Each structure stands twice: as C-alpha cells, then as structure tokens.
Amino acid sequence: MFREDATLEHTNTAEPSRRDFLYLATGAVGAVGVGAVAWPFIDQMNPDASALALASIEVDISAIEVGQSITVKWRGKPVFIRQRTEKEVSEAKAVKPEDLPDPIARNLNLEANAAATDVNRSAVGKEAWLVMVGVCTHLGCVPLGEEGDFGGWFCPCHGSHYDTAGRIRKGPAPENMLIPPFQFVSDETIKIG
C-alpha cells in the first residue's frame, strides 16, 4: 500500500480564509458592544458634580465668638467648628493621651499614629479652634455640643461622652471624632478638604 519512496509534504502556510476574517470582525464588534453597554454602568459610579463641588469648602469664621460653635456640611457630613475658651483648651491640654480610650489623634493633617494631645487635635498656632467631623464613632449619630460629663460633646443615642477636644472619654464609641483635612486660608477663613 505505501511506497517507500513516497514523500508526504505537509505545509501549514494556508492563507487566512474569509471565515477567519468574519470570526475576527465579529469578535471585535462584540467587544466594542460589550464596552458600550458596560460604560454607563461604570460611569454612574463616579461622584456627581455636586459631590465634587463639595470636595473642599471655605468657611468664614469671622462671626464665631469665643465659646461658640457652628456646623457646616462637608461631603454630606456635619463638621463642627468651635472657637474654644481658654478654660476648654487648658482642660483638654491637661489630659494625657495614655489615659484616653483612644490615644490616637485621628487627625488627617498628621501622621496616622500621632498621639491624641490637644495640640494634635487642633491647628498649630490656632489651638483655640477645633474643626472635626461631627459624627459619633460608635454608630454614626450626631452628638450634641457642650454636653456630657466632659463639657464637650455627648451622643444621647448610646451615651458616648467626648471632651472639649473631641476625644472619646466615656461610652461605647471606639475612636475620637475625626479631624478632616483643613487649613487656615486667612485668619477669618478655613478651607476644609
């Protein structure tokens, strides 16, 4: 049946067929179609213009008297801005971080492990000013100002007491209230964010 002198040549140099082209073109159109369908779903996850506009705000603090607080909204959360009295500042400075339930400052302007001293909870050279996100770190309630056992903030929902530097002193809250990124643009204006 087989001849010994017969040589079989097998070459694999066939030209691409029309079928190969149709497969590639169909795959490319399908990939573009999937991308076109997926893009609106991906794009809707981006923050809207109103959220981007609130990424940073400037607050005029010229009308805030010593011992007064205001609440502003930043990124959908309340931010307490308080010009503390000398008594409030001295009481807060007297507390040692190691005596606190949360010895970390939680100040986004400092290193993550900065101690919760009063100076690390306020602005350098502007220690009377306290700027913090007004949300209880237990379950996200909004604490009441100038309340509680330490004269700072009190969350009536579950009984968390914060001092005049916004540090947790008593109750179920695990952390001090957060200090957002902020800076003094001038003596009368604070930029948050």
Side-chain angles (χ1 to χ4, degrees), residues 16-180:
S17 68
R18 181 179 174 148
R19 180 177 291 169
D20 294 335
F21 172 76
L22 290 174
Y23 284 148
L24 288 172
T26 303
V29 169
V32 169
V34 167
V37 168
W39 178 251
F41 295 109
I42 295 168
D43 188 49
Q44 63 93 20
M45 290 184 232
N46 288 325
D48 68 349
S50 64
L52 291 174
L54 295 175
S56 67
I57 60 171
E58 288 191 6
V59 181
D60 180 9
I61 58 170
S62 62
I64 303 173
E65 304 273 333
V66 174
Q68 285 186 329
S69 301
I70 65 167
T71 303
V72 297
K73 197 170 188 179
W74 174 68
R75 293 187 179 177
K77 296 178 184 169
V79 173
F80 300 150
I81 301 174
R82 180 167 178 79
Q83 185 174 5
R84 302 180 295 169
T85 64
E86 287 183 31
K87 181 182 179 216
E88 290 172 333
V89 173
S90 63
E91 286 174 354
K93 284 184 177 180
V95 177
K96 297 176 185 169
E98 56 269 12
D99 295 338
L100 296 168
D102 181 17
I104 306 296
R106 309 284 174 204
N107 186 338
L108 297 180
N109 301 294
L110 303 174
E111 294 178 12
N113 61 349
T117 62
D118 182 65
V119 173
N120 284 348
R121 300 274 303 158
S122 57
V124 177
K126 306 261 187 193
E127 285 81 16
W129 290 97
L130 184 65
V131 179
M132 66 184 179
V133 177
V135 174
C136 179
T137 59
H138 179 233
L139 291 176
C141 307
V142 178
L144 304 173
E146 299 176 66
E147 298 280 335
D149 293 350
F150 302 92
W153 288 265
F154 173 67
C155 185
C157 301
H158 299 98
S160 294
H161 296 258
Y162 297 88
D163 66 10
T164 58
R167 301 172 295 196
I168 183 64
R169 298 291 297 277
K170 178 177 158 186
E175 296 179 350
N176 301 322
M177 285 194 267
L178 182 68
I179 305 293

